[in-house]
Amino acid sequence: MPATKTLQQCAHDAIERAIDEAADDDPIVLWWDDGGYLRDIVERASAKLGCAFRAAERTPLELRAEAPRDRTVWYVPHPRSDDVDWFEDVEHTGGVVEQHIGKLAARCFENDRLQAATIRTAYEDAAERNSASPHSNTRGDADDREKVARTLYEELNGEGGLPSLQGLQIKIVLDGHDDPVQFVLEHGTRNLPEGDDLLRIRDLLVDDGVTAVEGESDAETIVERTRRWAVAEWLVDEGLDESRLPQAYRPEPSGGFGISRPELRSVLSKTERSAELAAVYLDPTRRFWHDVLRTYEAPWELADCPVDASLEHRLWDEWTKSFDDGDYETCVARATRRHDRLESTYGDVPWTRVWAQAVDVAMLADELRTWDERGDTSDVVDLYGDVDDGTWQIDNAVFNLVVSGSPETQLPEEHPATATLDGMRSSLVESKYLDYLTDLGDLVVDQIDAGSPFVGENHAHQFFAEEQGHLQSGQSVALFVVDALRFDLAHELAESIRREIPRLEVEESTWVGTLPSDTEFGKAALTPGSKFSFSIGVEDGELVPERNGRAITNYRRRTLLENDGWSYITKDATDEVGWSNTRVAYYWNDIDETGEKELTNFEELFSDRIDAISEIICEKLRKGEWDRAYVLSDHGFVSLPRHVDIDDLHPPAGAEKVTRRWIAGTDLDDAPGVLLDADSHLGYLDDDVGISILTDPVQRFRNQGLPDARFYHGGVLPQEFVLNFVTITQD
């Protein structure tokens, strides 16, 4: 039976009737509203009837402050007072309306007043609970009354039509929800009624096709069976043969011509509690259809069903078998599919993160196997530094795996990933990655001994000469010099800029660092001057970078830039004037400083640093201040696995200078590592300078100590000296 009137219309009728029955021609109508939810409705109805409106804000007595001269409605948001002396004259000459929102709502159903009384009692019962004994949950009961009032107000305001009595009763019982199936699927036993109301909800569930709850009177049983039914419905929708299910759980065929979808899918697509529901529908203690799924021959056929831990566990077990068989392509495709499905359903939850890492694990395993099988002896710079296909992607995959941590530890212990994922990850980022670094170092040694892999490459000390056409063109240019920006981090930075400002043209190119690989020489190389003016030689036992025969200190480097017309700005400097220059050089050292502090989780910090420098660059570029910008670096770094034994070495006699990874001198025939000298065709070493640089990732020279056990630079592994320079131009 649908409602015939709105709350507004019923309030209008009540006031009009009180006026008609009043003894005075211009009466006062006193409206007592227990709960105070009708103020707006009564005020609007008063205005339509030409009555003034006054409300008691604190106490009814304040309405006596000014005597009314015309028709007036006095509104009191409290139950009727026993102190009738206040309004005795009103009762004799005017009119009294004693109606709260529950009573007024019942009047909206003129054709079924008897059944509509349940609406009034629902509100009054909530109000009585609010005034119960001191042991009651007073705040909770007040909230209950407010929820009933809100439902009545929203349903009977006339917007979108008027509800049926049964529909309104359901919404009152289910806190504004009109679908008992979806309510139970989302909220479980929370807020389910008791007694006859629970049985009424159960019968509605049966009417909606959940025959498995028929005859049940226990709330937990009703919820458990409704959820099992909904999971079964989704599994069937994804392809499960419904004959495998008991008759009571087989979904009914959809009627009509519309497109139907599982009830649970509808709930999860609309709720703001999807992350909470992941713990319900992927909980190993609630394996809804374990007996069916544990023997299902092809569980990946059902992989788009994101509910039931039994399916989740079968999928992981099958994925692990494919990984152990070396079918990494299948592993990547399947893990991506499952990740995307779970993410679209639940968002960022542990189950989603585990499958995301499974993608990275399979991709890294495939990259490392390809490395083992390639037998490649091509130029090491091209091998590592090819922007599209270089092995820098192995470092990137390892870096991402380390940053993503151990997501399986956030899963319930019963999930099979808790027993398998750590072993896969550790094998790749510890032993296999170390083998890759060692092989790469051996390849560098072979190629330098055979004649140098650096001939014909772009060298960092040639940057200003090679880019002179742009740097001296009169266009506005910015240099962002980021210390220790390894190839893969530079790529991540470039990708971030592409995402943030798609209109920019962002290009990446490979350059060779100077001196492999140390801050002092790398930054000295990135100063104005011709490519012929830069050199490195030994003076008084110290290796010194020079431009035009003068040593380049930090002060000298800044002077060279400023003399060439550049504003020189460092991180944390408050030089806003410098940023307005047409040529700006900005220096950012966080990555190197972070790594050398031997922080155990420096990869995670590096990831944050990349986000920070990306924000800085994008902020400046959005203003359109420069026609062109470059992201440069002085060197990269190697990040060793967490568990590795370091061997320290003693420098040979006659070594002029020793750092963590290299020694310099004029006679280094007995030095470990690979010897760089004028014959290596670097183009910037003095003829009498020899530099012995380590390529073994687990060796250091002793006299500097080993403070940076995992992060280092100063050798000739490509991760250290093959650099990714990013060029950004306005479209």
Side-chain angles (χ1 to χ4, degrees), residues 127-375:
E128 288 176 7
R129 289 196 299 273
N130 184 37
S131 58
S133 71
H135 303 291
S136 69
N137 181 5
T138 304
R139 179 65 257 168
D141 296 335
D143 288 344
D144 288 344
R145 183 174 68 165
E146 185 173 342
K147 289 175 182 177
V148 174
R150 184 176 63 247
T151 299
L152 295 174
Y153 192 100
E154 291 175 352
E155 293 299 307
L156 291 169
N157 62 14
E159 296 181 6
L162 293 171
S164 68
L165 180 57
Q166 184 185 46
L168 184 56
Q169 289 170 330
I170 292 172
K171 284 199 171 186
I172 291 173
V173 171
L174 297 182
D175 187 21
H177 291 74
D178 59 359
D179 189 325
V181 175
Q182 294 197 6
F183 180 86
V184 171
L185 293 179
E186 179 172 357
H187 299 283
T189 57
R190 187 176 64 183
N191 294 334
L192 268 185
E194 300 176 349
D196 292 341
D197 284 339
L198 176 62
L199 299 183
R200 186 178 299 114
I201 297 302
R202 176 205 63 193
D203 293 341
L204 290 171
L205 292 171
V206 174
D207 292 342
D208 283 344
V210 191
T211 57
V213 303
E214 192 167 8
E216 296 296 333
S217 58
D218 175 68
E220 289 188 2
T221 302
I222 290 172
V223 169
E224 189 273 337
R225 293 191 175 187
T226 302
R227 285 175 166 170
R228 285 196 83 203
W229 170 86
V231 172
E233 183 188 34
W234 202 332
L235 287 167
V236 170
D237 189 66
E238 297 297 345
L240 179 72
D241 184 351
E242 67 176 28
S243 65
R244 292 174 174 264
L245 303 169
Q247 184 65 45
Y249 291 95
R250 296 177 186 176
E252 296 180 350
S254 59
F257 299 98
I259 298 175
S260 64
R261 61 178 182 171
E263 290 280 0
L264 191 47
R265 179 188 292 171
S266 178
V267 168
L268 290 170
S269 69
K270 294 185 294 185
T271 182
E272 296 179 355
R273 302 175 55 247
S274 56
E276 296 176 46
L277 293 181
V280 172
Y281 290 102
L282 293 174
D283 182 358
T285 65
R286 304 180 188 181
R287 299 189 185 192
F288 297 97
W289 293 105
H290 182 63
D291 290 343
V292 172
L293 296 172
R294 68 185 176 86
T295 58
Y296 196 77
E297 300 85 356
W300 277 98
E301 293 178 354
L302 307 175
D304 288 331
C305 179
V307 292
D308 201 331
S310 292
L311 176 60
E312 171 74 1
H313 295 184
R314 283 295 315 282
L315 295 177
W316 185 266
D317 288 338
E318 291 295 317
W319 184 88
T320 303
K321 290 178 183 177
S322 296
F323 185 88
D324 292 340
D325 291 340
D327 189 1
Y328 302 132
E329 185 175 345
T330 296
C331 286
V332 170
R334 286 182 168 177
T336 300
R337 175 186 175 190
R338 185 63 175 173
H339 166 268
D340 292 349
R341 191 67 188 91
L342 293 180
E343 185 179 53
S344 66
T345 303
Y346 302 115
D348 184 25
V349 295
W351 291 269
T352 307
R353 293 192 286 271
V354 162
W355 284 107
Q357 191 173 94
V359 175
D360 291 337
V361 163
M363 292 179 68
L364 177 57
D366 190 43
E367 291 275 0
L368 289 171
R369 182 174 63 183
T370 301
W371 167 260
D372 289 338
E373 295 174 350
R374 69 196 304 167

Side-chain angles (χ1 to χ4, degrees), residues 565-626:
W566 296 86
S567 286
Y568 185 98
I569 303 175
T570 58
K571 182 180 179 293
D572 299 327
T574 58
D575 186 0
E576 292 301 324
V577 176
W579 281 112
S580 64
N581 197 356
T582 57
R583 297 208 291 177
V584 174
Y586 175 77
Y587 284 79
W588 199 81
N589 301 330
D590 271 15
I591 294 178
D592 206 14
E593 292 174 357
T594 299
E596 291 189 350
K597 290 177 181 176
E598 198 191 354
L599 299 173
T600 55
N601 297 321
F602 61 75
E603 287 94 345
E604 291 91 327
L605 293 172
F606 288 172
S607 183
D608 293 340
R609 300 300 192 271
I610 294 300
D611 291 340
I613 189 63
S614 175
E615 288 180 10
I616 293 171
I617 293 174
C618 290
E619 174 192 349
K620 301 302 180 183
L621 293 176
R622 281 193 185 95
K623 297 178 181 179
E625 294 176 351
W626 300 292

